[in-house]
Amino acid sequence: MNGVTGIVLAGGQGRRMGGVDKGLQLLHGKPMVAAVLARLAPQVDEILINANQNLEIYAAFGHRLAPDAIGGFAGPLAGLHAGLSQARHELVLTVPCDSPFLPLDLSIRLQEKLEENDLAVAKTGDQAHPVFALVRTAVRKNLEEFLVGGGRKIDAWYASLRVIEVPFDDEAGAFRNINTREELDQA
């Protein structure tokens, strides 16, 4: 298996949670991103945190930061682009900072199915989870052109690539993300 760089996408504005930094919201007394890092770390060879605010707090987790190079909070693709630009490995595994239950076997299962594709994305039922993806760093230039051209939608960018969807129906709850205060309270 190839080396893998993990990218935690924590660069958003948290609009659905009232404009707070979702990764730093407490879940069981710890920042949500801490749970994500704990589950991701055993699956990858290095971790980058894509963050655009609270950089000192994120840096304290002990991983390199990769802020967006594309301005204006351009979404998860800008975070992926930042990570692809700094990754030390041929493959990057992206996960969001607000999904503290991510599968412990996410990396290996996506690697097993990647084959000659540009990326492998997790899927449960008919629902793809585009921010849970294993991506080849070779697509960075393609992504940069898409972003510079004004593209922001993950699905539109994926349509230009060779993508395989990998079923995780046995772990459907692992992809639950926490977008609102109510969801955080329920978790």
Side-chain angles (χ1 to χ4, degrees), residues 80 84 90-92 110 113-121 133-140 142 157-164:
L80 173 58
L84 288 171
E90 175 190 335
L91 300 174
V92 297
L110 293 176
K113 300 294 184 187
L114 182 63
E115 298 174 356
E116 300 304 314
N117 294 291
D118 297 314
L119 67 93
V121 63
L134 185 70
V135 185
R136 294 187 186 280
T137 55
V139 302
R140 186 183 65 78
N142 176 294
W157 180 60
Y158 278 10
S160 71
L161 304 171
R162 294 170 302 174
V163 177
I164 185 160

Side-chain angles (χ1 to χ4, degrees), residues 104-177:
L104 295 171
D105 59 353
L106 181 65
S107 183
I108 193 72
R109 287 174 67 175
L110 293 176
Q111 283 183 69
E112 287 171 348
K113 300 294 184 187
L114 182 63
E115 298 174 356
E116 300 304 314
N117 294 291
D118 297 314
L119 67 93
V121 63
K123 176 182 177 181
T124 53
D126 293 334
Q127 175 71 45
H129 302 286
V131 291
F132 291 91
L134 185 70
V135 185
R136 294 187 186 280
T137 55
V139 302
R140 186 183 65 78
K141 186 171 177 11
N142 176 294
L143 176 55
E144 188 168 312
E145 290 169 358
F146 179 79
L147 289 167
V148 168
R152 297 294 181 264
K153 300 283 186 201
I154 290 180
D155 296 343
W157 180 60
Y158 278 10
S160 71
L161 304 171
R162 294 170 302 174
V163 177
I164 185 160
E165 294 180 338
V166 180
F168 278 84
D169 294 336
D170 58 314
E171 297 187 66
F175 297 96
R176 184 176 67 167
N177 64 340

